[in-house]
Amino acid sequence: MANPFKTGMYGGVDCFAVTVEDRVARVKKFDRAQCQAALALDDLQKSVERAIKSRLRMLDKDASTQSPNPASGMTVELEDHGQDFLEFDIRGRRIVDARPFQADVWSGAEVINETLQVGDHIEFRSEYSSGVKTLRYPIVAIRSLRPGA
């Protein structure tokens, strides 16, 4: 995986967060793969390493306390790549809502995965596509289904 502290490009040159403050702020939104990639870096400050290990413990705790079964109901938050949907509510192996947009597109899609965990990609089947498709955005958080969803 590429350096997870990459912030973008400026004038054709890769730019990275290098200060402790900037790196710790970014770690708060890392998924498991980004944490592992960051731990493999040679120039990692000790306090950033502690923040990454803390984030990994939090991801482990979240994964163990959440229902990983899409049949029982859950809300999954997806990694933001500028897409129009960031969260899915799943109940009975079906997407029942999407936020902030495209609920009408995603509602009713069947979730194929038997279990879902942070870092997984959702496999689905919908009326708008043939066969099983894999969503390109990984799951970054799993929560209990919100009341009324």
Side-chain angles (χ1 to χ4, degrees), residues 79-146:
E79 189 170 277
D80 188 356
H81 289 266
Q83 73 272 21
D84 288 341
F85 50 92
L86 297 172
E87 291 185 351
F88 287 148
D89 288 342
I90 301 171
R91 180 185 297 123
R93 303 180 62 79
R94 297 268 178 200
I95 296 173
V96 297
D97 195 12
R99 288 179 295 285
F101 304 107
Q102 293 195 3
D104 56 331
V105 173
W106 289 100
S107 290
E110 177 188 8
V111 176
I112 305 301
N113 308 67
E114 292 293 324
T115 61
L116 289 171
Q117 297 178 350
V118 171
D120 287 351
H121 292 262
I122 297 174
E123 296 177 1
F124 67 95
R125 184 180 1 248
S126 80
E127 64 182 273
Y128 299 107
S129 61
S130 61
V132 174
K133 303 290 183 187
T134 301
L135 194 64
R136 70 178 71 174
Y137 314 111
I139 296 171
V140 295
I142 298 174
R143 299 184 301 274
S144 299
L145 197 59
R146 60 189 169 91

Side-chain angles (χ1 to χ4, degrees), residues 1-147:
M1 170 178 250
N3 186 328
F5 293 111
K6 182 177 179 182
T7 59
M9 293 187 75
Y10 183 75
V13 177
D14 289 335
C15 299
F16 300 90
V18 294
T19 68
V20 170
E21 295 81 12
D22 290 342
R23 285 183 166 191
V24 169
R26 291 182 66 88
V27 165
K28 292 177 183 177
K29 296 182 180 181
F30 277 7
D31 62 23
R32 177 169 300 287
Q34 290 171 309
C35 287
Q36 296 297 340
L39 285 173
L41 295 175
D42 293 331
D43 61 344
L44 197 62
Q45 299 97 330
K46 292 293 182 189
S47 53
V48 176
E49 181 179 346
R50 282 192 301 273
I52 294 168
K53 289 178 179 178
S54 174
R55 174 72 176 154
L56 284 168
R57 285 191 301 274
M58 190 199 73
L59 290 171
D60 288 341
K61 181 180 175 189
D62 285 350
S64 69
T65 60
Q66 300 299 327
S67 169
N69 184 342
S72 62
M74 59 178 32
T75 297
V76 296
E77 181 181 339
L78 304 170
E79 189 170 277
D80 188 356
H81 289 266
Q83 73 272 21
D84 288 341
F85 50 92
L86 297 172
E87 291 185 351
F88 287 148
D89 288 342
I90 301 171
R91 180 185 297 123
R93 303 180 62 79
R94 297 268 178 200
I95 296 173
V96 297
D97 195 12
R99 288 179 295 285
F101 304 107
Q102 293 195 3
D104 56 331
V105 173
W106 289 100
S107 290
E110 177 188 8
V111 176
I112 305 301
N113 308 67
E114 292 293 324
T115 61
L116 289 171
Q117 297 178 350
V118 171
D120 287 351
H121 292 262
I122 297 174
E123 296 177 1
F124 67 95
R125 184 180 1 248
S126 80
E127 64 182 273
Y128 299 107
S129 61
S130 61
V132 174
K133 303 290 183 187
T134 301
L135 194 64
R136 70 178 71 174
Y137 314 111
I139 296 171
V140 295
I142 298 174
R143 299 184 301 274
S144 299
L145 197 59
R146 60 189 169 91

